[in-house]
Amino acid sequence: AAAPAPLLALALVLRTLNCFLVQTSFVPDEYWQSLEVAHRMVFKYPSPAAGPAVPWSRSVLNIHNYGYLTWEWTSSLRGYSYPLIFASMYKALQLLAKDNVQLLIWVPRLAQAVLAAFADVKLYSLVQHLENSETAKFVFFCQLCSWFTWYSCTRTLTNTMESILTIFALSYYPVKGSKMGNSCKYLALVALAIVIRPTAVIPWMPLVFSHFLQERRKADLILHNCIPVGLVTVGTSLIIDRVFFGEWVLVQLNFLKFNVLQNLGTFYGSHPWHWYFTQGLPVVLGPHLPFFIHGCALAPRKYRIFLLAVIWTVLVYSTLSHKEFRFIYPVLPFCMIFCGYSLKHLKAWKKTATSFLLLSNLVPALYTGLVHQRGTLDVMSHIQQLCSNSQQSQAFVFILMPCHSTPFYSHVHCPLKMRFLQCPPNLTGNESYIDEADVFYSNPLGWLNKEFYNDTLLPSHLILFNVLEQEISSFLALRGYKKTATVFHTHVPQGRVGSHISIYRRKSEMNY
């Protein structure tokens, strides 16, 4: 049964609003694994030779493109299939001569919002088919008021696309005892999700295995569905990566080898095995948690496979030491089915429960979307102003923050000289390896004096968290830097991340 058009209209309006009410940063991958790559694919500028006689750092610009690819791209751990979606949008804007920085920032986000709206409606249709319209409405309601979905679904993260494709695939999945389902369509969507983010294979393992067991014509399923779908998606992915890497490479294999077999993700932090059970899932579900537990107890047998997918995914991710909330985001739609089922079967408290869910999710959704960690995006508008300046070729912005704190050229869109502190993991096996960011933070003042021993090398602008100001105040004063702006970032500063970001400009004859 198709979902009614008013539901799609409601979802589109809400997700568009959602898009504009999320003005904070979540994780660096949001830009560095999608928009930055897409920007570099489309906009190729020569290095601004008119600039000052400063040695070009490899983190600034290279001679062909302006942009920067992180170590994952130079090590072929990521594929170009996902950034290609945004590169297509950028190319269209470029051809229409509409490639201004605001459109480059918002068009990809709006595209994600539209996809998220269609996914919301697909989830409604699935439950409507499995149950009835009333249960479907409660699942739809739970999906729309989930604070974590609100926070994540319009971001340009691979996890977001993986979650959206998971819902689309789920709507074609042959649930036991149901007459719906289309093996070819759901397998194609699962394969696409795996191409974009190889870890998408995890939640789908129990589902595909269960489908295989209940399928009478097993050979047909493998020969007519699995093999053709696999060959087409892997083949397409290989060709796309061949074009952009310039060599044949199977990035999905490299990704799994790096993150699972070598477990090098620990470079970005490690957590105890139980983290997803004690923090990850409770935080992502938020106020939905009691309804999820209640729904699991109530739901009929045919839904056990969805619960198994959730438990299996959380267990598999628990074995990896590096853990993040966003990793389990793709199982959130499964959870919403149980939450909706719970709401539908509440007798006396239905109205109270829906009001509670709506209001209790509203606060974290608005706070995380509009307040928490917004400074690293707000500061980009200050950098953008340097582009319209006639002195653009003379400007040099150095972002003295934990690496990848801010987006880069996708949020500036002009060949401005920029640099940030580097932090690739130890890929060489060198035991004494320390990345540039760690070297800097171990002695910020000494590092700056050594790096900028000559006044001609000095950046025109420094961007840093306020926690660093005291430590390098003598360098700032001695080299003639003056604070020109302070930008709010977060109410919960931690370690190297301060509550505010300070922008310093060097006093000289040039008037930036």
Side-chain angles (χ1 to χ4, degrees):
L7 275 190
L8 180 59
L10 172 68
L12 284 167
V13 168
L14 270 173
R15 291 304 178 206
T16 305
L17 183 68
N18 184 170
C19 178
F20 291 114
L21 288 179
V22 173
Q23 298 170 18
T24 53
S25 60
F26 182 9
V27 284
D29 279 14
E30 196 175 339
Y31 320 106
W32 291 93
Q33 308 300 353
S34 54
L35 301 184
E36 292 305 327
V37 184
H39 192 273
R40 194 176 186 273
M41 286 159 81
V42 176
F43 302 105
K44 297 184 170 107
Y45 279 81
S47 172
V54 177
W56 290 99
S57 158
R58 62 193 168 87
S59 62
V60 185
L61 304 174
N62 73 31
I63 205 76
H64 302 299
N65 298 332
Y66 80 97
Y68 177 84
L69 291 180
T70 59
W71 64 272
E72 289 103 324
W73 295 88
T74 50
S75 305
S76 310
L77 288 188
R78 301 277 181 168
Y80 279 95
S81 304
Y82 185 55
L84 188 59
I85 300 167
F86 303 116
S88 311
M89 296 175 200
Y90 284 175
K91 193 70 193 170
L93 288 169
Q94 186 192 40
L95 294 171
L96 294 167
K98 296 280 184 218
D99 56 318
N100 70 66
V101 70
Q102 290 307 319
L103 284 177
L104 293 184
I105 292 169
W106 289 105
V107 167
R109 292 275 318 273
L110 280 164
Q112 290 281 177
V114 169
L115 279 176
F118 275 95
D120 295 336
V121 173
K122 274 286 185 197
L123 192 61
Y124 171 90
S125 301
L126 168 74
V127 181
Q128 186 187 25
H129 193 102
L130 292 175
E131 289 291 322
N132 51 51
S133 293
E134 198 189 349
T135 311
K137 277 175 186 165
F138 281 112
V139 171
F140 186 67
F141 170 79
C142 288
Q143 170 75 356
L144 288 182
C145 73
S146 157
W147 82 270
F148 194 81
T149 302
W150 178 274
Y151 181 59
S152 310
C153 76
T154 64
R155 296 182 184 275
T156 50
L157 275 166
T158 49
N159 310 84
T160 299
M161 190 58 93
E162 183 192 342
S163 305
I164 287 168
L165 289 171
T166 293
I167 295 177
F168 285 139
L170 205 53
S171 69
Y172 296 111
Y173 179 76
V175 177
K176 199 171 184 177
S178 138
K179 290 188 169 54
M180 54 169 262
N182 182 317
S183 301
C184 199
K185 281 184 183 173
Y186 103 80
L187 287 168
L189 288 158
V190 170
L192 184 57
I194 294 167
V195 161
I196 285 171
R197 191 170 176 85
T199 50
V201 74
I202 298 167
W204 280 100
M205 280 164 95
L207 288 153
V208 173
F209 187 61
S210 165
H211 173 211
F212 180 74
L213 289 180
Q214 74 186 48
E215 183 64 50
R216 287 199 206 99
R217 295 171 301 181
K218 291 181 171 48
D220 276 5
L221 178 68
I222 292 170
L223 293 171
H224 298 148
N225 292 309
C226 297
I227 292 174
V229 161
L231 288 174
V232 170
T233 44
V234 172
T236 308
S237 166
L238 274 170
I239 291 163
I240 290 169
D241 290 330
R242 172 74 178 84
V243 170
F244 292 103
F245 280 116
E247 59 184 4
W248 293 106
V249 56
L250 189 59
V251 291
Q252 291 78 18
L253 194 64
N254 293 349
F255 181 91
L256 289 169
K257 201 159 67 180
F258 177 89
N259 286 296
V260 180
L261 303 178
Q262 294 173 281
N263 206 7
L264 284 172
T266 49
F267 177 80
Y268 295 107
S270 56
H271 301 80
W273 68 268
H274 55 76
W275 187 85
Y276 283 118
F277 293 98
T278 53
Q279 288 174 59
L281 204 55
V283 168
V284 166
L285 275 167
H288 284 76
L289 184 61
F291 300 96
F292 171 63
I293 294 166
H294 180 232
C296 288
L298 282 182
R301 278 186 67 145
K302 65 180 171 188
Y303 291 127
R304 280 189 191 162
I305 188 64
F306 297 157
L307 182 58
L308 181 64
V310 174
I311 295 167
W312 163 258
T313 303
V314 174
L315 282 172
V316 171
Y317 274 122
S318 296
T319 63
L320 302 174
S321 29
H322 178 57
K323 299 174 175 68
E324 290 186 42
F325 293 115
R326 65 190 172 107
F327 292 170
I328 54 168
Y329 173 36
V331 298
L332 201 51
F334 294 91
C335 301
M336 291 303 126
I337 295 172
F338 293 100
C339 296
Y341 202 85
S342 161
L343 274 184
K344 156 77 170 66
H345 289 85
L346 283 178
K347 298 284 186 283
W349 298 92
K350 206 170 278 188
K351 227 171 203 169
T352 314
T354 49
S355 304
F356 163 76
L357 268 181
L358 188 62
L359 295 170
S360 58
N361 275 282
L362 198 62
V363 177
L366 291 175
Y367 180 77
T368 55
L370 292 170
V371 182
H372 180 60
Q373 294 184 5
R374 68 169 296 140
T376 48
L377 287 181
D378 288 346
V379 83
M380 299 313 288
S381 58
H382 290 266
I383 300 175
Q384 286 162 19
Q385 288 162 20
L386 298 175
C387 293
S388 55
N389 202 307
S390 56
Q391 312 283 354
Q392 175 195 306
S393 60
Q394 309 273 359
F396 172 18
V397 178
F398 198 163
I399 300 163
L400 283 176
M401 293 155 90
C403 70
H404 307 126
S405 289
T406 64
F408 216 42
Y409 286 106
S410 67
H411 282 55
V412 176
H413 193 52
C414 75
L416 189 68
K417 188 183 176 191
M418 296 202 293
R419 183 178 167 187
F420 62 90
L421 297 165
Q422 307 267 314
C423 62
N426 183 11
L427 300 170
T428 55
N430 177 359
E431 284 180 22
S432 58
Y433 174 82
I434 308 173
D435 67 60
E436 186 182 44
D438 283 344
V439 173
F440 167 76
Y441 279 105
S442 64
N443 179 11
L445 192 60
W447 189 92
L448 285 169
N449 286 324
K450 187 178 170 188
E451 187 78 4
F452 302 112
Y453 59 89
N454 184 330
D455 273 13
T456 58
L457 304 174
L458 285 167
S460 61
H461 293 74
L462 291 176
I463 293 170
L464 48 117
F465 280 118
N466 56 346
V467 286
L468 196 62
E469 283 177 310
Q470 200 64 44
E471 213 166 337
I472 63 166
S473 55
S474 58
F475 173 86
L476 296 170
L478 206 63
R479 303 300 170 98
Y481 284 100
K482 185 173 178 288
K483 193 192 289 191
T484 57
T486 303
V487 177
F488 169 79
H489 182 60
T490 179
H491 288 120
V492 278
Q494 282 179 312
R496 297 172 179 178
V497 177
S499 61
H500 289 75
I501 296 169
S502 303
I503 301 170
Y504 281 85
R505 189 189 76 202
R506 189 160 181 254
K507 286 181 286 186
S508 66
E509 300 79 13
M510 287 183 290
N511 189 21
Y512 295 114

